[in-house]
Amino acid sequence: MYIIACSLIAICVIFLLLIDTIKPTRYPPGPTWVPIVGNFLEFRKKLSRLNYHHLVYEEFSERFGNVVGLKMGRNLVVAVFGADAVKEVLTREEFDGRPDGFFFRLRTFGKRLGIVFSDGQFWQKQRKFSLQHLRSFGFGRREMEEKIVDETKDLIALFRKQCSEPIWMHTAFDVSVLNVLWAMMAGERFNVNDERLLKLLQIIHDAFRLTDMSGGMLNQLPFLRFVAPDVCGYNKIVSILTRMWEFLEETIDQHKRTLCGSHARDLIDAFLQKMNVKNDNDASFTDDQLMSLCLDLFMAGSETTSNTLGYSVIYMLQYPEVQKRVQLEMDEIVGRNRWPTLQDRLNLKYTEAVLMEIQRRANIPPLGIAHRTVRSAELFGYRIPEGTMVLTSLYSVHMDADFWRDPLAFRPERFLDPDGNLTFNEKYFAPFGYGKRRCLGESLAKANYFLFFTALSHNFYLEDAPDSPRPQFDGYDGVTISPKPFKAKLVPRTD
């Protein structure tokens, strides 16, 4: 009987393992997967060779086409490539969900909270509330520009004090960029040299490099946290989240102690007032949601824009002729007696083209933010099951050789027509995505990017720093691409 029982168990196990290798009906083409881990091992092997997650997906695309079906651990993952497929996903309601899983819930207390990785009515309500109140505190208005200008002046003043020696530039903009959003969120700003915040921002950079947009090993094989918590990154992620939660909890508690029932100083106050409204049956406004919302905004507000500005310095160092032309345009349009403002953007056409080319070429968010099918969907003849994670390769859009012709070249003129006016096809230039899930902070990011870049270029010549780490185009891999440490010599412009 014992032998028979063991045989039956073995047969059942084999049967279940075989079932685990069967692909859903009309699932997109992709590599054959194996039981339990799916394509995880093959993916990791390619990653060790290519070093970047988006390049691994790109290699799969070269073999299987613009819609690739994978299974990563227990997760179905579909990656799409090219302008047509990416826009199709980003503009259709069936793909408007956000991924669910252990990694995505870990950062929000085991629940689906915040606004980055939530969806449905909950997301709509929280997004509407956040935008409405951020606008009341200056978001997208003149007050926002004034806040950015103040931060640029403080940062430039700091650079002037430090410029006798080469300056570390890969994280030079972190605090200043965050301050603009933090003033609207929490009603305060940080000193540019705040050691505690600098350490916290470094932790955030580390968090973005620990995994990729699919949630990585921890999301695909969550049981690994029990058997190999260090290898799968679980211990490091929990440590990072704990530091972030402690920081945000301290800020929120301070707001609770000084909250005024009739006047909101910032977004946190407005949220707390909403929580305190009697007879309000909206259960989505909770302490956990406030923490998760702050975490989302804090991390998003300090990472992508800072990375983009870091890369803008790298490109100006590598292409000094472009830097010189930017400065000549500013001297002609703005003059030397004042700093550029957002109103100058319409006339600083070459400068705008340079900023756009940096975004296209650097590809800071190479896979955007992951989506999820909220119901089964048809895509180019394939069936994408409900609950599938969908990754959109913005990298493939920005590096499309058929459209851009020489995508590897850094050529700002591609965004100018023969008359020198800005021109671009939004279908092939989408650093902020498309559709309903388009980046919430786009207007802030664009304003930050323009004003910090022009303030720096208006006040300094950027030169390579001798005997210092040289800037590299190849950055750190992760959820975003971030520049590796480098220094630059900032020479004050006195002419």
Side-chain angles (χ1 to χ4, degrees), residues 12 34 134 140 171 221 224-225 245 273 322 337-338 351 359 406 416 419 461 490:
C12 289
V34 298
L134 284 173
T171 55
L221 303 167
L224 289 177
R225 71 188 186 276
W245 289 332
Q273 287 177 347
V322 173
N337 296 323
R338 67 176 180 86
T351 301
Q359 287 179 294
D406 53 351
L416 298 171
D419 296 323
Y461 296 107
L490 273 57

Side-chain angles (χ1 to χ4, degrees), residues 23 99 135 161 214 216 231 265 333 339 354 360 377 395 477:
K23 296 185 178 183
R135 287 191 183 110
K161 293 178 182 178
S214 72
V231 173
R265 297 161 294 183
I333 302 298
W339 288 15
V354 169
R360 182 197 71 82
Y395 174 87
D477 187 31

Side-chain angles (χ1 to χ4, degrees), residues 202-216:
Q202 184 56 54
I203 287 172
I204 291 176
H205 287 310
D206 291 342
F208 274 81
R209 297 169 195 159
L210 275 176
T211 186
D212 67 294
M213 185 43 69
S214 72

Side-chain angles (χ1 to χ4, degrees), residues 175-375:
V175 177
S176 300
V177 167
L178 175 63
N179 269 340
V180 181
L181 180 59
W182 194 244
M184 293 180 275
M185 284 177 58
E188 61 180 348
R189 65 180 297 276
F190 302 99
N191 185 286
V192 178
N193 287 319
D194 188 312
E195 286 296 328
R196 181 187 177 209
L197 185 66
L198 289 170
K199 290 179 181 177
L200 195 65
L201 288 169
Q202 184 56 54
I203 287 172
I204 291 176
H205 287 310
D206 291 342
F208 274 81
R209 297 169 195 159
L210 275 176
T211 186
D212 67 294
M213 185 43 69
S214 72
M217 189 187 306
L218 189 58
N219 197 64
Q220 295 151 8
L221 303 167
F223 67 86
L224 289 177
R225 71 188 186 276
F226 299 117
V227 295
D230 287 326
V231 173
C232 69
Y234 176 75
N235 286 345
K236 184 72 179 290
I237 291 173
V238 169
S239 174
I240 288 171
L241 288 173
T242 300
R243 291 281 300 277
M244 289 296 303
W245 289 332
E246 288 173 352
F247 173 83
L248 294 172
E249 188 172 28
E250 181 181 314
T251 302
I252 293 170
D253 285 345
Q254 183 180 1
H255 276 70
K256 287 180 177 179
R257 290 193 297 269
T258 58
L259 181 66
C260 173
S262 59
H263 171 70
R265 297 161 294 183
D266 45 56
L267 178 63
I268 294 176
D269 269 5
F271 197 102
L272 290 171
Q273 287 177 347
K274 176 71 173 175
M275 287 173 58
N276 292 337
V277 173
K278 294 182 179 180
N279 302 320
D280 191 334
N281 296 321
D282 193 337
S284 67
F285 288 84
T286 64
D287 285 318
D288 283 352
Q289 169 58 13
L290 177 55
M291 282 275 283
S292 301
L293 174 63
C294 289
L295 180 68
D296 280 347
L297 294 176
F298 191 97
M299 296 185 75
S302 60
E303 178 69 13
T304 53
T305 302
S306 178
N307 287 348
T308 305
L309 285 165
Y311 266 108
S312 72
V313 176
I314 292 176
Y315 277 93
M316 293 306 94
L317 291 173
Q318 296 287 355
Y319 296 93
E321 71 282 1
V322 173
Q323 177 188 176
K324 183 177 181 180
R325 186 171 168 183
V326 165
Q327 291 170 330
L328 287 173
E329 182 181 60
M330 283 195 292
D331 290 350
E332 179 182 346
I333 302 298
V334 178
R336 301 295 299 148
N337 296 323
R338 67 176 180 86
W339 288 15
T341 68
L342 287 182
Q343 287 66 44
D344 293 314
R345 289 174 68 181
L346 291 174
N347 296 317
L348 294 175
K349 298 172 183 177
Y350 181 76
T351 301
E352 274 285 276
V354 169
L355 294 174
M356 294 168 76
E357 179 69 343
I358 292 170
Q359 287 179 294
R360 182 197 71 82
R361 187 64 187 84
N363 283 295
I364 301 298
L367 297 172
I369 298 180
H371 285 240
R372 177 181 60 87
T373 48
V374 295
R375 56 181 178 272

